[in-house]
Amino acid sequence: MRPFSFQKPGSVEEAVAVVEPMGVAGQGGAFHAGGTTVIDLMKLHVLQPPSLTDLGGVLERGIEEGEDGTLRVGAGTTMAEAAEHPAFLRAPVLSEALWKAASAQLRNVATLGGNLLQRTRCPYFRDNVSACNKREPGSGCAAKDGINRLLAVLGTSESCIANYPGDWANALILFDAVLETRSGGGGREIAFGDLHVPPGEDPARETILGDDELITAIRLSVPEWASRSVYTKVRDRDSYAFALTSAAVALDLDGDTVREARLAIGGAATVPWRAREVEDWLAGRELTEDVAVEAGRRAFAGARGWGENDFKIPLGRDTVARGLMEAKAMTPRNSGDSQ
Amino acid sequence: MATDPRSAPPDLGISRRSLLKGTAASGASAFGAFQAGAQEAEAVPAGGPEVEVEITINGRPERFTLDARTTLLDLLRERLDLTGTKVGCNHGQCGACTVLVDGTRINSCLRLAATLDGAEVTTIEGLAEAGEMHPMQQAFIDNDGFQCGYCTPGQIMSAVGCVTEGHAGSEAEIREYMSGNLCRCGAYKGIVAAVVQARDETEARGAS
Ligand SMILES: Cc1cc2nc3c(=O)[nH]c(=O)nc-3n(C[C@H](O)[C@H](O)[C@H](O)COP(=O)(O)OP(=O)(O)OC[C@H]3O[C@@H](n4cnc5c(N)ncnc54)[C@H](O)[C@@H]3O)c2cc1C
Ligand code: SF4
């Protein structure tokens, strides 16, 4: 690691007043929450911030349950705490996307705010020497003709094909989440679906957050029927690996007929990826295996492979189909026996 | 990579550790990362801004003035000579550096010591009580939960955390919740058996 000074603010106000930019354009401030992304990348010298602003003890922690399934989640809540919270267990996709991510040790430390903002695992971004437009704008993209097995097939650009590696964001995006943020200029709310920006011509810019902008809380609204929801994660080994492809699914069924479907795709896209067109197509249909397979096909209709990662297109289709059928097969808890 | 330009900033002399790191092999891991040379905890070069912390390690409170870059793993091994905690990948991927902080298992390689003011740390050296092995240590011996032993301190600390968290209910659950600890010898069968044994003993003690 390069030398840095360690700042320990006593409050959110102080944190946003003292934080310095991360040093890569569009990467927000050098905050340190759990540190499991930021210290990793600082050891690789991919990040070299002049200072780190620690959020320990500053961020809200815990989940408050409001009326009608609304939840307010402190950005400092750890992945482990959240995965076991009753509110998340009632909509299993929210819990499953967490306990199937990283390891128990990491989840004990990593926060939900940091989790949403984790960086790509693209090997060229991390090696700190290859051409990489995300790390060094204008240098090119070594991954397009290189080792791109893990990278994206949806939402890519000629500038960058890095995938968004996180799991939980794909569950969160199903529930019309809103982020509460604070910066020197005051507070604002951001629709979670707007947080991440696809690479386009400027892959260094990953989010719309400002240099001193802090996520303080996440609000979401979880319908009761989301008790029928799953996070189907396909990976190289059964546990402790990033998703090759994944599907976050919540289903409202009337018998076998879809009243409402929500679907997001992980592992294979450059940003958390909600498949709204597929959701609309599913509404009103009887959910048979054929329909699930067709939904998978539609979800990857615009996909483009880059060689080593071509397999993610058929795998992703099957993952969506499996996620839908797994959700259908669930016996969700009915409204009577909640609590 | 024959030499890793990151292992020793240019203004430093070559240390034993940076030489060792230069030999680290690169390869794509399950995390899609190239392993930057990281077989040894980074010897923290002098000169960076410092922090002051008080940390209780294995029951002994102590004040430290540290370079802000010092990880808990660096502190344990380089400063306190508590070398039971191992350096594996140094990037949170293997679990060899697992210790308990305030009773919770974490990867010490990714944890800045600066964040631990007031915390209580337990390492493998602090697990035995009054000279008697912790049930988890004994269980690893009884069940052949290791071969070369390098990952074992991390496995044992993680296993203690796994039982405390209540995630040792079945063998499948143990496998899932111990997946953050890799064993290159493949002693997983013995490890799972050890966790089961220690879990049952701990429960029996709690009940009596
Ligand atoms: C070996 C390994 C395996 C992993 N496997 C998975 C996996 O399978 N699935 C998965 O989803 N994730 C996985 N991860 C990623 C892990 O979940 C993230 O590293 C973690 O969630 C980040 O949270 P943190 O609190 O440690 O973030 P930090 O490292 O502290 O911060 C991450 C980034 O967010 C910024 N930040 C943090 N909090 C805030 C905030 N409140 N407001 C504004 N900015 C903020 C920081 O400045 C930094 O840029 C893995 C990580 C490792 C090391
Ligand atoms: S895919 Fe993106 S992150 Fe990877 S090398 Fe190309 S520009 Fe960099």
Side-chain angles (χ1 to χ4, degrees), chain A residues 34-199:
Chain A
T36 61
T37 287
V38 83
I39 298 299
D40 182 26
L41 291 174
M42 284 169 70
K43 285 186 173 192
L44 297 171
H45 294 184
V46 169
L47 294 176
Q48 305 187 14
S51 67
L52 271 187
T53 300
D54 187 34
L55 301 175
V58 165
L59 283 179
E60 238 177 272
R61 219 169 144 163
I63 301 176
E64 282 169 33
E65 300 186 56
E67 307 270 288
D68 305 328
T70 56
L71 301 175
R72 190 163 181 286
V73 183
T77 310
T78 65
M79 292 170 75
E81 285 163 357
E84 303 197 355
H85 194 280
F88 279 22
L89 292 169
R90 278 201 293 278
V93 63
L94 285 168
S95 166
E96 205 176 349
L98 286 167
W99 69 255
K100 286 187 175 172
S103 68
Q105 289 95 315
L106 290 162
R107 296 192 297 267
N108 279 339
V109 169
T111 63
L112 295 182
N115 183 270
L116 296 176
L117 296 171
Q118 64 180 286
R119 311 293 304 278
T120 186
R121 308 297 289 197
C122 172
Y124 302 103
F125 172 73
R126 290 173 61 87
D127 78 9
N128 213 27
V129 284
S130 304
C132 171
N133 289 323
K134 189 183 277 301
R135 179 167 33 74
E136 211 180 309
S139 62
C141 170
K144 281 195 300 180
D145 305 314
I147 299 173
N148 56 37
R149 183 172 176 274
L150 298 172
L151 304 188
V153 295
L154 289 168
T156 57
S157 72
E158 288 299 327
S159 301
C160 178
I161 63 169
N163 64 333
Y164 175 78
D167 291 302
W168 191 61
N170 304 304
L172 186 63
I173 205 169
L174 300 181
F175 299 111
D176 305 317
V178 172
L179 306 176
E180 297 176 11
T181 74
R182 274 303 277 280
S183 62
R188 66 166 168 162
E189 297 192 344
I190 298 174
F192 176 62
D194 296 337
L195 175 69
H196 290 91
V197 287

Side-chain angles (χ1 to χ4, degrees), chain A residues 1-4 6 32 40 43-45 84 103-109 121 123 126-127 150 237 239-240, chain B residues 6 31-34 36 42 49 68-69 90-93 98 104-107 109 158 165 167 176 179 181:
Chain A
M1 277 184 268
R2 299 295 189 211
F4 59 87
F6 188 76
H32 173 283
D40 182 26
K43 285 186 173 192
L44 297 171
H45 294 184
E84 303 197 355
S103 68
Q105 289 95 315
L106 290 162
R107 296 192 297 267
N108 279 339
V109 169
R121 308 297 289 197
R126 290 173 61 87
D127 78 9
L150 298 172
R237 60 185 181 205
S239 180
Y240 197 23
Chain B
R6 283 153 290 175
F31 299 106
F34 289 123
E42 242 159 297
R69 288 169 289 181
N90 218 4
H91 286 272
Q93 302 180 1
T98 304
T104 304
R105 54 181 163 157
I106 64 138
N107 300 106
C109 74
S158 186
E165 287 162 17
H167 285 303
E176 175 63 41
S179 67
N181 292 80

